[in-house]
Amino acid sequence: MAIQRTLSIIKPDATRRNLTGAINALIEEAGLRIVAQRRAQLSQKEAETFYAVHKERPFFQSLVGFMTSGPVVLQVLEGEDAIAKYREVMGATDPSKAAEGTIRKQFAESIEANSAHGSDSEENAAVEIAYFFRGSEIVG
Ligand code: CMP
C-alpha cells in the first residue's frame, strides 16, 4: 500500500476539553505519524473557504460558527493508506454510529462537534494540506 498524507483537524470541542494529547495518542497508536502540527484560531473566511463544498447544506453556517468558536489543531498525518486509516480511527461522522474505540465514539459531543476532521480522498487531502501548510512546514 502507498504512503499517503492526510489533513487532520482537532476541532474546538476537543481543544476546549484538553483532548489534543488523547487524540494524538490514538493517531500514533494506529501507526500514523504527525509530520506537521499547528494550533490555530480559524477566521470566518478560512472556515467558510475550507468547508466551501458544504456551502449549500443546511448546517453550513452553524458549522462555520462552531469551527471558529475556539482553537483548532491543524495536522498533517503520514502513513500507509493514511486517508482511509485516519477515517477508521475517527469513526463515523455521526458519533452515535461510530465504532467502539474511535475518536468520535469516545469524544464527540454531536454530529457537528465531532472532535476531528480528516480528508476524504487523495485529491482533497492534497488541497486541504496545501490550504494550511507550506511544504517546508511538513517534516516527514
Ligand atoms: P467533517 O468531517 O469535518 O465534515 C463536515 C462537517 O460538518 C462534519 O465533520 C461535521 O462536523 C459537520 N456536520 C454538521 N452536521 C452534519 C450533518 N448532518 N452531516 C454531516 N456533517 C455534519
Side-chain angles (χ1 to χ4, degrees):
M1 246 173 284
I3 300 291
Q4 294 178 328
R5 287 178 174 174
T6 191
L7 184 87
S8 162
I9 305 179
I10 300 178
K11 295 187 181 185
D13 66 288
T15 60
R16 176 169 45 78
R17 288 174 290 151
N18 226 13
L19 292 170
T20 300
I23 291 173
N24 281 351
L26 292 176
I27 290 170
E28 294 187 336
E29 278 161 21
L32 293 166
R33 193 169 289 275
I34 301 165
V35 294
Q37 178 167 262
R38 179 172 86 247
R39 189 169 164 104
Q41 170 65 54
L42 297 184
S43 67
Q44 172 147 342
K45 188 95 201 294
E46 282 174 319
E48 283 175 355
T49 304
F50 181 78
Y51 279 120
V53 63
H54 295 302
K55 67 174 181 294
E56 305 305 331
R57 309 283 290 273
F59 57 79
F60 180 69
Q61 281 310 328
S62 176
L63 174 61
V64 169
F66 164 63
M67 290 300 290
T68 57
S69 68
V72 296
V73 179
L74 306 167
Q75 304 175 310
V76 180
L77 310 183
E78 183 179 87
E80 272 192 16
D81 208 17
I83 295 163
K85 187 176 280 181
Y86 188 46
R87 293 180 72 78
E88 257 182 63
V89 172
M90 287 191 299
T93 303
D94 180 349
S96 71
K97 298 184 179 139
E100 284 303 326
T102 60
I103 291 171
R104 286 162 169 168
K105 178 72 176 184
Q106 287 190 57
F107 302 127
E109 295 181 321
S110 66
I111 193 166
E112 176 177 88
N114 64 357
S115 302
H117 165 85
S119 308
D120 65 1
S121 68
E122 259 189 290
E123 191 188 358
N124 286 340
V127 171
E128 292 181 359
I129 289 168
Y131 186 62
F132 286 121
F133 290 96
R134 284 194 293 260
S136 61
E137 294 174 313
I138 305 168
V139 184

